[in-house]
Amino acid sequence: MSDQPSGQRVLVVEDESNIASFVAMYLKKAGFGVIVARNGEEALARADSESPAIVLLDLNLPDADGIDVCRELRKSSDVPILMLTARDDDVDKIIGLEVGADDYLTKPFNPRELVARVKSILRRTVPAERELESATIAHGDVHVDHGRREVTVADVEVQLAPKEFDLLWELLDHRGLVLTRDQLLERVWGYTFAGDTRTVDVHVRQLRRKLGDSCPVVTVWGVGYKVGPEAKVAQA
Ligand code: CA
């Protein structure tokens, strides 16, 4: 029995055909439709023409770096992206470069784990879009419109990556509470993101860089993060 709506398609971008067919087999068994692309160019074309629900993207492709493909996809789409990488070192690259990937898995991976991650990412993205139509939160100089996914500081729009936006929203939506890194991983990424709390710190750092002194996120040493008092610091 599958708890996925039928017809949800997964775009698998993988040049190693044995891995691609192995992954496709498990995904089909779980009730997904599967589209396979063998290089970066094909990936971008199929993502555009087939509107997949999620993209599994190998980091090492014959014609392109998966990181560049991820960035390119992000220019036109919010489709969830799960990166597949052969090396642990690449994980730092995926997190650090802020390419907009939603998650990663290191090869060799357990196909059941892969299917579980795909389901988890989809569970998180689908209802979130429906629930929060047009909620907005204003906090000092910072104004966040969830429906439009827009952030402004003193009326100037700031571009945030999808997860930066979700993290800021989660903290603002729980003003007055301290959230631990594990709680933030759970709420923003939907499950324990490979147990790696560095992800939260990297995203907080990006928020601080982009929002400057108006960034409302305060570190609570030894615990996690919270939203500080309202402040109007930006010069109009
Ligand atoms: Ca490869």
Side-chain angles (χ1 to χ4, degrees), residues 9 18 64 89 169 217:
R9 280 170 306 181
N18 55 339
D89 297 355
W169 180 266
V217 182

Side-chain angles (χ1 to χ4, degrees), residues 8-9 12 28-29 59 70 80-82 89 117 120 138 144 148 162 165 192 206 214 233:
Q8 269 193 314
R9 280 170 306 181
V12 177
K28 284 178 187 163
K29 244 199 275 180
L59 195 68
C70 186
I81 300 171
L82 172 56
D89 297 355
R117 296 274 189 108
S120 165
V144 185
R148 294 164 183 257
F165 182 95
T192 304
Q206 290 293 330
S214 297
V233 292

